Amino acid sequence: MNILRTPDDRFENLPDFPFEPHYVELGDGIRVHYLDERPERPSGETVLLLHGEPTWSYLYRHVIPPLVAAGHRCVAPDLVGFGRSDKPADRFAYTYQSHVDWLWETVFDRLDLRDVTMVCHDWGGLLGLRLLAEHPDRFRRVVATNTVLHTGDQGDMGPFYAQWLQHSQRVRPFSAGQIVATGTVTDLDPAVVAAYDAPFPEEDHAQGARRFPLLIPITPADEAAPANRKAWEVLESLDTPFLCAFSDRDFVLGQAHTAFRERVPGAKGLPHTTIVGGGHFVQEDQGPRLAQVVDDFIRSAAR
């Protein structure tokens, strides 16, 4: 496998990003980057923060400090193909199952995380909820924000998905920063936009980001559909506390919380939250507010 690595100097002097990088190497030789921020006075809780398309752990830079201040360890990996993690040059190396396997090997085989509170956003949910369904014993609770778990049975994906699919495959150059800017309510500083573009210095580094839109199951015959359908069967029987914290101005997945709230037993009776003033990338618009929701949930569920 031809594996690319973004030069370290692309990540120098990023705004509001003082965190030290950490790495693990997977069995196939891919190096995965993650943040691991630990409090001085630990609460005993570990929060796993999963990003989606086309972002990286930089997305959580305003979520991590309040959670660490509250006593919680925060682990935020970069998915393979994103951030400081390695990037296979062959776009067909990126499959739904390979992403699930890479993430599992990273957070559980290598980091051996247990009893985690998972915060999953966008593709972080499409992957993280698979891990939850396949290994629920590793999770203490879940916060789902602006995410979904498609099975291919949902019917027409609508005009936005069609437009996004075309854009993701045809646009030159691929600018993750511009995509994030489009999905936020606030105006992003050019330096922040550049930080989201940092992982992709050349077109061949962006193959993973271009592939994600093509991996969403859109028909029952999709190769990922059976595994996701099976995952939903588990989620529908799972009493792990499951909180939805979606934003009010997400034009992508704004109503996707309904399925979780209605079908997951662990979601029943919880104080599901609508984060006001947030777009799809709610961490950019309302990062500290999301952190407060997560901390409140940890403390209430710990009682």
Side-chain angles (χ1 to χ4, degrees):
M1 187 186 301
N2 181 20
I3 298 175
L4 305 174
R5 185 167 293 171
T6 304
D8 287 341
D9 61 11
R10 296 277 298 182
F11 302 101
E12 294 178 355
N13 301 316
L14 301 183
D16 301 324
F17 199 69
F19 313 111
E20 291 294 322
H22 302 269
Y23 298 94
V24 295
E25 186 167 317
L26 307 186
D28 53 11
I30 292 176
R31 190 180 75 166
V32 173
H33 168 259
Y34 66 101
L35 303 179
D36 192 347
E37 295 296 307
R38 304 187 183 216
E40 293 183 2
R41 298 181 179 179
S43 66
E45 300 282 351
T46 297
V47 182
L48 174 63
L49 301 155
L50 298 180
H51 73 85
E53 162 81 342
T55 60
W56 58 293
S57 53
Y58 185 76
L59 181 71
Y60 285 103
R61 69 194 184 284
H62 294 145
V63 178
I64 291 173
L67 289 176
V68 172
H72 313 314
R73 177 188 179 189
C74 289
V75 178
D78 293 342
L79 299 176
V80 173
F82 296 82
R84 299 183 79 140
S85 290
D86 284 352
K87 302 165 180 67
D90 179 5
R91 66 187 329 219
F92 296 106
Y94 300 94
T95 67
Y96 202 129
Q97 188 59 50
S98 67
H99 272 294
V100 172
D101 293 342
W102 286 327
L103 186 58
W104 167 259
E105 186 176 356
T106 298
V107 299
F108 296 132
D109 285 350
R110 296 292 183 265
L111 299 181
D112 195 29
L113 300 186
R114 299 175 184 274
D115 297 324
V116 301
T117 295
M118 177 172 64
V119 179
C120 53
H121 175 260
D122 193 86
W123 260 96
L126 284 157
L127 300 175
L129 295 176
R130 281 279 299 274
L131 297 191
L132 171 67
E134 293 170 18
H135 305 277
D137 59 302
R138 292 282 192 149
F139 296 87
R140 185 170 286 175
R141 60 187 72 83
V142 177
V143 178
T145 177
N146 299 350
T147 191
V148 71
L149 183 62
H150 283 316
T151 63
D153 303 304
Q154 64 277 347
D156 185 9
M157 296 282 285
F160 173 82
Y161 176 74
Q163 294 169 9
W164 164 233
L165 190 62
Q166 293 293 324
H167 177 83
S168 66
Q169 304 310 302
R170 295 180 177 181
V171 65
R172 295 290 189 280
F174 185 93
S175 173
Q178 290 301 323
I179 293 167
V180 175
T182 301
T184 57
V185 174
T186 51
D187 293 330
L188 299 189
D189 187 279
V192 171
V193 174
Y196 283 110
D197 286 332
F200 311 117
E202 304 290 345
E203 169 62 25
D204 54 0
H205 289 68
Q207 295 309 304
R210 287 197 187 272
R211 279 288 285 175
F212 255 158
L214 298 173
L215 299 181
I216 297 173
I218 60 174
T219 73
D222 190 283
E223 65 178 15
N228 282 17
R229 206 172 290 120
K230 184 177 180 180
W232 262 112
E233 292 176 2
V234 175
L235 294 179
E236 289 175 330
S237 67
L238 205 60
D239 60 2
T240 302
F242 194 111
L243 184 76
C244 293
F246 283 53
S247 55
D248 65 335
R249 297 175 65 179
D250 179 8
F251 59 85
V252 182
L253 297 172
Q255 299 303 313
H257 59 82
T258 302
F260 297 127
R261 294 171 65 169
E262 294 179 350
R263 297 170 61 183
V264 179
K268 303 298 183 183
L270 293 184
H272 301 291
T273 302
T274 298
I275 298 179
V276 176
H280 178 64
F281 299 100
V282 63
Q283 298 89 336
E284 278 295 332
D285 293 315
Q286 296 291 336
R289 173 61 182 141
L290 176 60
Q292 185 65 58
V293 170
V294 175
D295 180 50
D296 287 347
F297 184 42
I298 289 173
R299 295 181 185 280
S300 65
R303 297 193 185 107

